[in-house]
Amino acid sequence: MSVVAPAEFVDELRALAPRYWDGHPFHLRMHAGRLSKHELQAWAANRWYYQRCIAQKDAAILSNCPLPDIRRQWRERIVWHDGTRPGEGGAENWIRLAEAVGLTRDEVLDERHVLPGVRFAVDAYVNFARTQPWVVAIASGLTEMFSGALMRKRLAALREQYPWIAEEGFAYFTNRIQAVAGEGQATLDIVVEHSVTREQQLAAIAALSFKCDVLRAVLDAVDYYSGKPWN
């Protein structure tokens, strides 16, 4: 198979946008203001598990990457999520959102509400990053191309539809919207530059498809169980 031109490769990646989780029924109900407080809590508690594993996923990519320039660029993602000291970073901001919807810090951190399906999907994503070539693992993160618009829509909807959520609970989204303002261009540039064979291009496309499946699997589990009482 012959490698395709960068523009065509990018089009193939962007064509996966319909597989992203922005149109998932749970998100649609969230944006329409149709979630109960309990459902929002279930979402926040389970999404925490994804948030806390992102830095581990990025560390796995770093450990597999032999290129110092890429490692320097990628390690900033770990800093963004973990912060430079306790009480900082994207993961901490997610805990603040969970607290703003009525969860305690302890019940978020001990993961008592994390569903088996969520844990299975997120663990599969981390394992993917550990076992795949570094550029393929990076390609899985190209959901950044689709996430900015969803975050802006979600932030507006949460503020409008759930006014009881304190504004400080939205720090994760306000900061993350800025972080993905470039719609994943830097990540896309890495993937395009280092996918030099058609096999590598197809592996990158499959990786992005896999990540979309992971995200939808997370919401499928939350959607199914969120209306049920805590165990």
Side-chain angles (χ1 to χ4, degrees), residues 54-67 70-71 73-75 77-78 125-142 144 187 190:
I54 288 177
Q56 293 173 263
K57 177 268 298 183
D58 288 326
I61 291 173
L62 277 175
S63 72
N64 289 330
C65 180
L67 304 179
I70 301 298
R71 293 200 302 267
Q73 181 176 342
W74 210 255
R75 69 189 181 193
R77 293 168 177 264
I78 298 175
Y125 182 40
V126 176
N127 187 60
F128 183 88
R130 287 173 176 154
T131 58
Q132 292 295 309
W134 66 270
V135 69
V136 174
I138 283 180
S140 70
L142 281 171
E144 292 174 353
T187 306
I190 291 172

Side-chain angles (χ1 to χ4, degrees), residues 19-218:
R19 296 180 62 89
Y20 190 54
W21 62 349
D22 54 335
H24 193 283
F26 190 88
H27 277 164
L28 297 180
R29 294 203 312 277
M30 178 189 292
H31 297 161
R34 291 166 47 202
L35 295 185
S36 67
K37 184 175 183 179
H38 176 74
E39 287 174 316
L40 283 171
Q41 290 174 340
W43 165 71
N46 280 274
R47 175 70 183 269
W48 158 254
Y49 188 68
Y50 172 77
Q51 294 303 142
R52 84 146 176 91
C53 288
I54 288 177
Q56 293 173 263
K57 177 268 298 183
D58 288 326
I61 291 173
L62 277 175
S63 72
N64 289 330
C65 180
L67 304 179
D69 286 346
I70 301 298
R71 293 200 302 267
R72 292 187 193 101
Q73 181 176 342
W74 210 255
R75 69 189 181 193
E76 295 303 317
R77 293 168 177 264
I78 298 175
V79 173
W80 192 92
H81 283 284
D82 287 348
T84 58
R85 58 181 63 86
E88 294 183 351
E92 175 64 27
N93 283 335
W94 191 268
I95 294 175
R96 291 172 184 167
L97 172 61
E99 291 175 321
V101 299
L103 296 169
T104 67
R105 177 173 290 259
D106 285 346
E107 66 185 313
V108 175
L109 292 177
D110 68 19
E111 299 171 5
R112 71 187 72 170
H113 304 309
V114 176
L115 297 163
V118 171
R119 195 178 298 275
F120 185 86
V122 174
D123 288 352
Y125 182 40
V126 176
N127 187 60
F128 183 88
R130 287 173 176 154
T131 58
Q132 292 295 309
W134 66 270
V135 69
V136 174
I138 283 180
S140 70
L142 281 171
T143 46
E144 292 174 353
M145 295 190 298
F146 319 132
S147 63
L150 175 60
M151 287 191 183
R152 289 189 292 271
K153 182 176 182 179
R154 180 181 300 151
L155 179 58
L158 289 173
R159 282 172 168 159
E160 178 182 357
Q161 303 290 353
Y162 309 96
W164 51 269
I165 300 177
E167 182 63 27
E168 55 265 27
F170 299 133
Y172 175 85
F173 291 115
T174 55
N175 291 338
R176 191 63 183 160
I177 286 170
Q178 296 174 6
V180 298
E183 296 185 326
Q185 188 61 52
T187 306
L188 183 60
D189 289 344
I190 291 172
V191 173
V192 170
E193 179 182 355
H194 294 277
S195 298
V196 297
T197 68
R198 184 56 178 162
E199 289 76 11
Q200 288 174 323
Q201 290 178 330
L202 292 175
I205 294 166
L208 178 54
S209 179
F210 167 75
K211 171 64 177 304
C212 290
D213 288 345
V214 166
L215 295 179
R216 293 190 72 89
V218 167

